[in-house]
Amino acid sequence: MAGDPASHISRGSLQAIVEAGDAAATKVLNPIMQCLQVRPTPNTQGGPERFRVVFSDINNFIQSMLATSKNHIVHEGRLRKGVLVRIRNFVPNTVKGRRILVILDLEVLEEFGEHEKIGQPEQLEVLKTEEGAVVKTEEGAAQQAPQQPGNISSNGFYGNRPQQQPTPATTAASTRTTVASASHANLYPIEALSPYAHKWTIKVRCTHKSDIKKWHNRNGEGKLFSVNFLDQSGEIRGTGFNEQCEQLYERFQEGQIYYISTPCRVQMAKKQFSNVNNDYELTFERDTLVEKAEDQEDVPQVRFNFTNIGDLQSVEKDTTIDAIGVLKEVGEVSQITSKTTSKPYDKRELTLVDNSGYSVRLTVWGNVATSFDVPEESVVAFKGVKVSDFGGRSLSLLSSGSMNVNPDIDDAHRLKGWYDAAGRNDSFNTHQGALSSTTGAGRKQEYKTIQQIKDENLGMGEEQDYFTLKATISYIRQDSMFYPACLGEKCNKKVVENDPGQWRCERCNETYPKPEYRYIMSVNVVDHSGQLFLNSFDETGRQIMNMSANELQDIVDHGDENQKTEAIQNACWQTYIFRCRAKMDNYQDQTRVRYQIISASPVNFVTEASRLTDLIKAYNIGSDNLFVS
């Protein structure tokens, strides 16, 4: 026991925090308090886990919200009722009209052990700053607060102290702070934002602004842009659509600090479109307030969470990470053409190394690729790169990512020192040779089970994903198995029978005496880990059904339901090697992943046995006696 615990508690520190207002975190440093209660807060399904904590300084107690980044302290059993903690970083806040602390960092003082409640702390008198609220005077008497238009400064954490007439010497110095804070009440840290927070303002730095993107689909057309914001507590992504895109795009500039105030919608983040580590994201609304801050110094520039190059093999495919390394090689600009849009894209491949002894290939795209002029042997930090398994392990800079050359951070200085001292002459391992199989044409086939497809969220990223699946057809949906298609060359659009023998194609502006029926099937497949619906077009449908859609339509036209049922039953419970594509799809205003069969082939048992043998050997069981020489 390290002495009397009560003597170590920062008695009266809560009152000091109240009086310091917005400056509390810099004026009340590392207060020590006792934890009186820890409990989870109610939350919606899919929302982040949060904990409410009550802290006492013996004189008073206060409700607090623990930053989600510190949840592990509760999970590990260190933050519990009765312990003493040193609060290293906090932000005063208002939630639903109640003043609280958002705890960004703390240290549990284990040497003091656990104790029953020390003293008889009382709740601080809540000195609300709303119109007509009660304000406590220095003598303790209650009096009616004056009616004031607009918002009240968050300097009054539990209410503003009675205003004293400033002396002439202090009036000029305090004018800027008073005006700025009075217009931004309820200043929230990003960490505290949730769908339940109302009338908030955040002070954030814009760390990234995307280009304006346009879309056009069956539901209409529009445009959007996104920005990433940062403050001392975390990051969050914001998106503006259509009108908000026009109003706000030019206002946001990378590197600048802004006040953003409600109305602004907080909702669950669409992780497949974001590289920001936050369970929520913002959507700008018509009256969202955006104001450039006069003070451009008190918000961090950028926040990194680096993964060593040597650890990439243990990182799941499609994970978004931050990476830093020494630029070993710079490739030439090349161009690829998108199969879906037929648009050309510029790309450049870079090689990064670090002191883990590994190198990795990183691809940059578009303007970043064409304008890249960073000299080799520079230290480069990348924020928001996607991990790919192409060629083992590689990285790709997302459109929402950013690049920092020779950043003034400890990680960069350490890498530069290592490279100059020894790394320049080192040889480096690569992540090539990750387990995979190849087709006869040499294209990589990533074998997945159905459970792996779901767990790895294939198809939910910015790019479509490809995988190979060995599965058995268990069910074929019989409604809309095929459709009447145009006979025109390379058309295949659906035709409509306006009159008997008159099938009209709107695209070709032609009429035909009959259509060609084509499969558009939905089949349910199963393996040992689960079940999944796959979509099939005509070529694969012919293979599965062992007949053309025209032949099946003839059976339907003749009313032979038994023969149709038999044909479908014969197609079920057949096992294939499916080559598939997964991508996001919008249908009836709902976003979902669509799994499309590219090809299907019967199982070649010799090839399959060889693949499984290689798979077992890859686990390094340590003995080859399972296999016949």
Side-chain angles (χ1 to χ4, degrees), residues 192-470:
L193 293 180
S194 76
Y196 308 106
H198 303 287
K199 295 183 179 179
W200 49 261
T201 298
I202 54 176
K203 186 179 183 181
V204 293
R205 187 182 298 277
C206 175
T207 59
H208 171 78
K209 182 176 74 169
S210 74
D211 294 331
I212 293 178
K213 299 179 181 179
K214 297 182 180 180
W215 79 85
H216 179 82
N217 55 33
R218 70 185 67 180
N219 297 319
E221 60 183 20
K223 55 186 176 181
L224 63 87
F225 80 104
S226 63
V227 283
N228 293 349
F229 296 125
L230 170 73
D231 71 4
Q232 292 181 345
S233 70
E235 298 174 276
I236 197 167
R237 179 175 182 259
T239 303
F241 294 89
N242 299 327
E243 183 181 347
Q244 285 66 50
C245 180
E246 296 178 357
Q247 292 178 352
L248 299 177
Y249 185 78
E250 295 299 333
R251 189 173 304 180
F252 286 117
Q253 300 298 325
E254 291 184 4
Q256 299 299 305
I257 297 176
Y258 299 89
Y259 290 103
I260 301 173
S261 305
T262 50
C264 184
R265 188 162 71 250
V266 182
Q267 60 192 30
M268 296 302 297
K270 299 178 179 65
K271 294 297 184 69
Q272 67 269 28
F273 302 123
S274 174
N275 69 324
V276 171
N277 183 24
N278 197 318
D279 292 302
Y280 296 122
E281 63 184 14
L282 305 177
T283 299
F284 304 127
E285 298 186 343
R286 184 177 61 182
D287 296 322
T288 298
L289 301 177
V290 178
E291 178 185 349
K292 187 175 179 180
E294 293 183 16
D295 184 359
Q296 292 284 317
E297 302 297 330
D298 61 343
V299 177
Q301 294 285 341
V302 68
R303 183 187 300 273
F304 291 106
N305 185 19
F306 294 121
T307 298
N308 288 335
I309 295 176
D311 295 334
L312 289 177
Q313 197 60 52
S314 61
V315 178
E316 291 187 7
K317 175 180 177 291
D318 295 332
T319 302
T320 300
I321 65 168
D322 300 338
I324 187 172
V326 177
L327 186 61
K328 191 71 172 177
E329 297 177 4
V330 179
E332 296 295 327
V333 175
S334 59
Q335 198 171 77
I336 62 172
T337 302
S338 170
K339 292 181 178 179
T340 55
T341 65
S342 298
K343 292 182 179 179
Y345 291 93
D346 295 314
K347 59 177 286 191
R348 188 193 295 265
E349 293 186 350
L350 316 175
T351 300
L352 297 180
V353 299
D354 69 6
N355 54 2
S356 67
Y358 275 82
S359 67
V360 67
R361 186 179 70 256
L362 188 150
T363 304
V364 294
W365 303 86
N367 293 333
V368 177
T370 55
S371 62
F372 190 87
D373 60 354
V374 179
E376 293 182 356
E377 301 191 347
S378 300
V379 176
V380 188
F382 293 90
K383 182 165 188 64
V385 293
K386 184 178 180 180
V387 179
S388 169
D389 60 359
F390 182 76
R393 274 293 186 270
S394 59
L395 303 175
S396 179
L397 182 63
L398 299 174
S399 60
S400 58
S402 60
M403 179 180 68
N404 239 327
V405 181
N406 294 322
D408 186 15
I409 56 177
D410 291 342
D411 297 88
H413 299 321
R414 281 195 295 268
L415 271 179
K416 187 62 175 175
W418 156 79
Y419 188 79
D420 289 342
R424 180 177 284 107
N425 299 316
D426 283 354
S427 58
F428 297 91
N429 298 314
T430 69
H431 292 288
Q432 305 293 326
L435 179 65
S436 64
S437 297
T438 57
T439 64
R443 186 173 65 179
K444 180 179 176 182
Q445 292 199 70
E446 181 84 11
Y447 272 85
K448 299 289 184 182
T449 65
I450 290 174
Q451 190 60 50
Q452 286 175 322
I453 294 168
K454 296 177 180 179
D455 289 345
E456 296 176 17
N457 296 321
L458 296 188
M460 297 185 68
E462 292 186 351
E463 300 178 0
Q464 54 196 8
D465 293 309
Y466 294 86
F467 61 89
T468 301
L469 170 68
K470 186 182 77 170

Side-chain angles (χ1 to χ4, degrees), residues 533-590:
F533 272 99
L534 305 177
N535 296 292
S536 168
F537 288 135
D538 189 63
E539 184 177 351
T540 311
R542 288 170 178 261
Q543 185 175 359
I544 292 173
M545 294 301 299
N546 199 29
M547 66 174 65
S548 69
N550 281 332
E551 292 173 308
L552 188 57
Q553 179 63 36
D554 288 340
I555 294 174
V556 173
D557 290 341
H558 285 85
D560 194 342
E561 285 296 325
N562 291 335
Q563 189 177 354
K564 176 186 175 184
T565 301
E566 182 181 358
I568 293 174
Q569 288 178 345
N570 290 338
C572 291
W573 304 112
Q574 302 297 318
T575 301
Y576 295 91
I577 304 295
F578 294 102
R579 181 67 181 160
C580 301
R581 176 178 63 241
K583 63 179 294 187
M584 295 297 294
D585 184 38
N586 290 314
Y587 179 72
Q588 294 182 345
D589 295 330
Q590 292 186 349

